[in-house]
Amino acid sequence: MTMNKKEAVCVTGGNGFIGSWIVASLMEHGYTTIHVSVYPGSDSSHLLNLPAAAHVELRVFEADLLDSDAISRAVEGCQGVFHVASPCSLEDPKDPEKELLLPAVQGTLNVMEAAKKFNVRRVVLTSSISALIPNPKWPSHLPYDETSWTDLDYCKSRQKWYPVSKTLAEKAAWEFAEKNGVDMVAIHPATCLGLLLQPGLNASCAVLQQLLQGSNDTQEYHWLGAVHVKDVAKAQILLFETPVASGRYLCTNGIYQFGEFADRVSKLFPEFPVHRFNGETQPGMASCKDAAKKLLNLGLVFTPVEDAVRETVESLKANGFLMQETSQS
């Protein structure tokens, strides 16, 4: 049996939570030449320990997003780019322009420029639900979909800089793609959960960690639903390999209130002091089980959220990010 040789691909931010899962999934899908760009000095050794790593040409490039030459070196020779890298911190930025906005927007443009320079077949841009919401003008009876864009003025007035960075970066990418004839699709993951392949704690798994430790943060501005990170990785490859894929793709296993998620987590792990929320945590947000219709129509099957929660909790414990606690009765 002859195997079709897969294209060489580049994953920016390939040692982060989503990036590491994309690299692992690419290996499982038979990709044998994978370039990974990582922030200079960051740890990428876990990628070499992935099950299929011994059978793959895995090339790691240290590249600051703002270093266009370094980004070019990472992308050169690749037919596909999965642009995942974007600054995201558990702490509020002291200088949003320098820490978030500039690297997100200019970094994305540097990746797009490299894609154009080396005639990349397709760019899959990891955007976020943070480029869809918050959008207070959205009709409350309609579930959010890919036509929603985050209200930048609303975010700026509330000092919510991460959604601003993701929205501006995606808009810049679409503008560049249309002007320069670069084939691009965008994916918008909700809160990603699952096994941590990377050594550090990432922002989305920290949402579950903090919930289990009694946090009463409603996630008002940042929540649509949850999704297993392996489904996000599978969706990325599906979007790269499906010629008819185009535009934006919401990636979430349903839209529902964060309070409902907290109730599910509490039932799964009654030994933890999970806060019980009263009323709507996302006022006026319409629920929708099949919110990711565009991906479902391409054949993506979502992992149950309960499975994602269980795997995340086991991983958080194994990595020392979660200590056993006793529920407050």
Side-chain angles (χ1 to χ4, degrees):
M1 190 174 99
T2 58
M3 292 284 288
N4 288 335
K5 185 165 167 57
K6 299 274 190 175
E7 297 162 296
V9 292
C10 174
V11 183
T12 71
N15 59 343
F17 183 50
I18 294 176
S20 297
W21 272 92
I22 293 172
V23 172
S25 295
L26 286 165
M27 291 176 178
E28 285 172 16
H29 281 76
Y31 286 80
T32 54
T33 303
I34 303 171
H35 293 192
V36 176
S37 85
V38 304
Y39 188 75
S42 64
D43 187 3
S44 57
S45 57
H46 60 281
L47 298 176
L48 303 173
N49 298 322
L50 291 171
H55 312 291
V56 171
E57 185 193 348
L58 185 67
R59 299 184 62 195
V60 177
F61 296 80
E62 291 204 343
D64 187 310
L65 282 173
L66 295 176
D67 184 343
S68 57
D69 291 340
I71 293 292
S72 273
R73 285 192 290 275
V75 171
E76 187 173 5
C78 294
Q79 287 79 51
V81 173
F82 298 86
H83 179 39
V84 189
S86 195
C88 181
S89 169
L90 296 175
E91 308 296 325
D92 284 334
K94 291 183 176 65
D95 184 345
E97 179 65 37
K98 186 180 172 188
E99 293 173 49
L100 280 180
L101 306 186
L102 182 65
V105 177
Q106 190 55 50
T108 295
L109 288 173
N110 286 344
V111 171
M112 296 298 287
E113 192 67 63
K116 176 192 171 192
K117 180 178 175 183
F118 298 113
N119 295 312
V120 162
R121 180 177 68 75
R122 174 168 285 176
V123 175
V124 181
L125 174 77
T126 301
S127 189
S128 168
I129 57 157
S130 292
L132 301 177
I133 61 164
N135 180 6
K137 297 186 186 77
W138 188 263
S140 60
H141 64 284
L142 288 179
Y144 284 102
D145 64 26
E146 291 87 351
T147 60
S148 176
W149 282 92
T150 292
D151 185 323
L152 294 173
D153 292 333
Y154 182 84
C155 290
K156 288 173 183 174
S157 69
R158 284 161 179 75
Q159 305 286 300
K160 298 291 177 187
W161 296 108
Y162 180 70
V164 174
S165 76
K166 293 303 287 186
T167 305
L168 290 175
E170 189 190 345
K171 286 190 169 181
W174 281 119
E175 191 179 324
F176 184 96
E178 283 156 22
K179 199 179 287 183
N180 295 279
V182 176
D183 184 337
M184 183 184 102
V185 291
I187 185 168
H188 298 72
T191 301
C192 291
L193 301 172
L195 176 73
L196 281 70
L197 298 179
Q198 83 287 358
L201 177 64
N202 56 292
S204 59
C205 290
V207 170
L208 178 56
Q209 177 217 36
Q210 288 159 11
L211 180 67
L212 288 160
Q213 292 174 338
S215 169
N216 61 0
D217 185 345
T218 63
Q219 301 294 323
E220 181 181 354
Y221 303 103
H222 308 295
W223 180 267
L224 271 186
V227 61
H228 198 305
V229 65
K230 73 180 177 188
D231 297 342
V232 176
K234 275 186 205 161
Q236 300 243 2
I237 297 169
L238 184 63
L239 293 176
F240 178 63
E241 293 181 346
T242 306
V244 295
S246 67
R248 309 171 92 204
Y249 288 82
L250 174 59
C251 188
T252 185
N253 191 357
I255 291 175
Y256 48 89
Q257 298 283 324
F258 184 69
E260 185 185 324
F261 176 74
D263 287 344
R264 289 196 207 180
V265 172
S266 182
K267 288 187 178 81
L268 289 171
F269 294 96
E271 67 273 25
F272 283 93
V274 176
H275 184 76
R276 303 293 206 287
F277 295 92
N278 294 317
E280 290 190 325
T281 44
Q282 284 64 40
M285 186 175 81
S287 296
C288 180
K289 283 187 176 168
D290 60 348
K293 290 182 189 69
K294 285 182 72 179
L295 280 172
L296 291 167
N297 289 342
L298 291 180
L300 188 71
V301 177
F302 284 99
T303 304
V305 169
E306 286 76 8
D307 292 357
V309 169
R310 284 191 198 95
E311 287 176 38
T312 312
V313 170
E314 289 309 311
S315 188
L316 288 170
K317 286 179 180 174
N319 285 280
F321 295 127
L322 189 62
M323 302 302 137
Q324 197 73 13
E325 300 208 21
T326 308
S327 176
Q328 299 156 345
S329 54

